């Protein structure tokens, strides 16, 4: 059972990192769009 918890926590961390990367990418794209005349 402990192994299942560790796997779930690892998967959660990977997912959170992917979400953070997507948010960063979207924010960068919005900044670029805002700079265009």
């Amino acid at each position: 059972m402990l192994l299942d918890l560790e796997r779930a926590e690892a998967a959660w961390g990977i997912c959170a990192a992917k979400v953070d990367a997507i948010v960063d990418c979207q924010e960068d794209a919005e900044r670029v769009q805002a700079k265009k005349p």
Side-chain angles (χ1 to χ4, degrees):
M1 197 164 192
L2 181 58
L3 182 58
D4 288 338
L5 176 60
E6 289 174 354
R7 286 180 179 167
E9 289 175 345
W12 190 1
I14 291 167
C15 181
K18 289 180 181 182
V19 170
D20 288 345
I22 291 167
V23 169
D24 289 345
C25 184
Q26 288 176 335
E27 288 175 347
D28 289 344
E30 288 173 2
R31 277 195 283 282
V32 169
Q33 287 292 344
K35 290 182 179 180
K36 288 185 178 181

